[in-house]
Amino acid sequence: MMKSFLSTTLDFAFPWACGLCGTGDTKLRSGAFCCDCQQQLTRPIENSCQRCAAEVGRFVATSDGCVHCRKSRLKFDSVTCLGMYDEAMRRVILSSKWSFSAVGITALAQLFASAAGDRLKQLDVDLIVPIPQSWQKRIVRRFNSAQVVSEVLSKTINVPHDVHILRRRRNVRPQKRVPVQQRMQNQQDAFRIRDAHLLAGKRILVVDDVMTTGATCNEAVRMLRSHGAKACHVAILARVLDGSA
Ligand SMILES: [Zn+2]
Ligand SMILES: [Zn+2]
């Protein structure tokens, strides 16, 4: 009774609007987004690369990777994503990153959890580790998107997540400002591990918001493996296929 009174009052004070197109028509509502926008954000991908999750042509074989990843030495076992970093995804992620609240990223993470929860459960991981933010980002942003996604996935697949085990060691130049060819090098030694004993023989799921070249996740996975992690999978909201993020 109290709860419904409260939610009615809140709805009145902050009427619902779709997190992407802004429509306030509650008949179209499907969670945080309207049905159309939700459909765009969860567009099924017919064929994606087995190594890096990039969307590829229908008949392209990807057991040895694809045009987006073949030249990279990727150290993770698999990548799971909600979708490609297309216009809809880009708008929600960018506006959420600079927002005061984590509502937008949480909504995307929940869509991701419903779409990919079963696949993530099958990976049979023991621990979820979000990519930490650099201190510059911590100053200007209210929250770490990777941590928000990791929290939602942790509840969905019922696996603990640890936000302390992976730490930033040095401040790398923001990947966005580094040419794509130099991004792997830019991330070298970006992380350090705390409580390494927790990693021995463990299967880890590394979580970030977006992945472009894979350099950040790759370096995190390199560190986790060098401290005894047995398997390392990656989960991201969106796979970026150019240098735009
Ligand atoms: Zn909408
Ligand atoms: Zn690929």
Side-chain angles (χ1 to χ4, degrees), residues 185-205:
Q185 203 183 0
N186 186 48
Q187 287 295 320
Q188 223 164 34
D189 297 325
F191 302 106
R192 64 186 171 85
I193 300 284
R194 213 179 80 163
D195 300 329
H197 63 279
L198 297 175
L199 289 171
K202 292 287 162 57
R203 300 172 60 84
I204 313 286
L205 182 66

Side-chain angles (χ1 to χ4, degrees), residues 15-162:
W16 174 80
C18 168
L20 179 56
C21 72
T23 180
D25 187 346
T26 48
K27 287 198 292 296
L28 303 173
R29 181 173 186 174
S30 174
F33 304 100
C34 72
C35 303
D36 277 358
C37 291
Q38 179 166 322
Q39 227 168 33
Q40 285 183 53
L41 292 165
T42 54
R43 174 179 68 86
I45 290 162
E46 204 173 10
N47 190 17
S48 59
C49 173
Q50 292 176 36
R51 280 180 87 212
C52 77
E55 185 170 25
V56 291
R58 198 167 163 191
F59 300 109
V60 175
T62 61
S63 48
D64 296 322
C66 69
V67 64
H68 302 286
C69 70
R70 211 163 277 141
K71 286 187 192 146
S72 320
R73 288 212 189 124
L74 300 179
K75 296 180 192 309
F76 30 80
D77 297 296
S78 74
V79 182
T80 306
C81 66
L82 172 61
M84 297 302 115
Y85 194 65
D86 53 19
E87 180 58 22
M89 196 76 84
R90 193 181 67 84
R91 277 174 49 201
V92 180
I93 290 178
L94 282 186
S95 62
S96 306
K97 268 189 179 174
W98 297 103
S99 149
F100 283 98
S101 95
V103 171
I105 287 289
T106 307
L108 276 185
Q110 280 160 350
L111 285 185
F112 185 27
S114 349
D118 286 343
R119 179 185 151 115
L120 293 173
K121 270 183 205 154
Q122 282 166 13
L123 298 175
D124 199 22
V125 292
D126 307 296
L127 189 66
I128 305 183
V129 174
I131 295 287
Q133 271 180 325
S134 62
W135 68 265
Q136 294 102 321
K137 282 188 184 160
R138 274 207 300 273
I139 290 174
V140 293
R141 291 197 184 146
R142 297 291 164 130
F143 54 87
N144 175 6
S145 307
Q147 194 174 322
V148 173
V149 179
S150 148
E151 255 168 43
V152 171
L153 295 183
S154 165
K155 282 187 199 133
T156 308
I157 65 171
N158 206 14
V159 168
H161 81 137
D162 189 318

Side-chain angles (χ1 to χ4, degrees), residues 166-230:
L166 189 65
R167 296 296 183 100
R168 287 271 174 190
R169 187 199 331 242
R170 66 179 184 91
N171 284 306
V172 297
R173 286 162 67 204
Q175 288 287 78
K176 204 175 171 174
R177 298 201 201 126
V178 176
V180 165
Q181 304 82 350
Q182 292 168 21
R183 289 189 182 182
M184 288 281 177
Q185 203 183 0
N186 186 48
Q187 287 295 320
Q188 223 164 34
D189 297 325
F191 302 106
R192 64 186 171 85
I193 300 284
R194 213 179 80 163
D195 300 329
H197 63 279
L198 297 175
L199 289 171
K202 292 287 162 57
R203 300 172 60 84
I204 313 286
L205 182 66
V206 173
V207 174
D208 207 353
D209 52 358
V210 299
M211 185 173 105
T212 304
T213 57
T216 308
C217 287
N218 220 35
E219 180 59 15
V221 164
R222 189 183 71 79
M223 284 303 283
L224 294 165
R225 283 199 197 275
S226 72
H227 286 82
K230 190 171 71 179

